[in-house]
Amino acid sequence: MAYLQILTGEDNESKVSNQYLTFWCGNQLYGLEISQVVQIVQMTDITPLPDFPDYIKGTLPVRGEMVPSVCKNQNLL
């Protein structure tokens, strides 16, 4: 049983799909259904990568692995 269900005693599965994580990338506002979010990590310094497209900002460490940082608004245009 989900934490919200325990607190309220209600079946809130249908309500969860109406919740979104929103964030800005440049001047564009994006949103993801909360059910699609696995983890939110604190922002760290991005290590730039030479000779990569502009929408790839570099890499950053996440759980011990280097993960690419991609600005989707530049990639989508």
Side-chain angles (χ1 to χ4, degrees), residues 24-74:
W24 290 93
C25 186
N27 292 328
Q28 183 69 41
L29 179 64
Y30 292 89
L32 298 170
E33 283 190 29
I34 201 73
S35 63
Q36 300 298 311
V37 177
V38 175
Q39 181 179 12
I40 299 171
V41 296
Q42 184 174 349
M43 186 64 183
T44 62
D45 291 334
I46 296 174
T47 303
L49 297 172
D51 302 322
F52 273 76
D54 289 342
Y55 63 88
I56 299 179
K57 298 302 179 188
T59 60
L60 63 149
V62 176
R63 287 180 257 136
E65 295 187 32
M66 295 306 284
V67 177
S69 174
V70 178
C71 190
K72 296 302 283 184
N73 72 337
Q74 290 180 348

Side-chain angles (χ1 to χ4, degrees), residues 4-23:
L4 185 58
Q5 290 172 314
I6 293 169
L7 289 177
T8 63
E10 297 177 5
D11 179 13
N12 291 310
E13 286 297 317
S14 61
K15 295 179 184 179
V16 171
S17 65
N18 293 327
Q19 294 179 339
Y20 298 90
L21 169 71
T22 58
F23 59 95

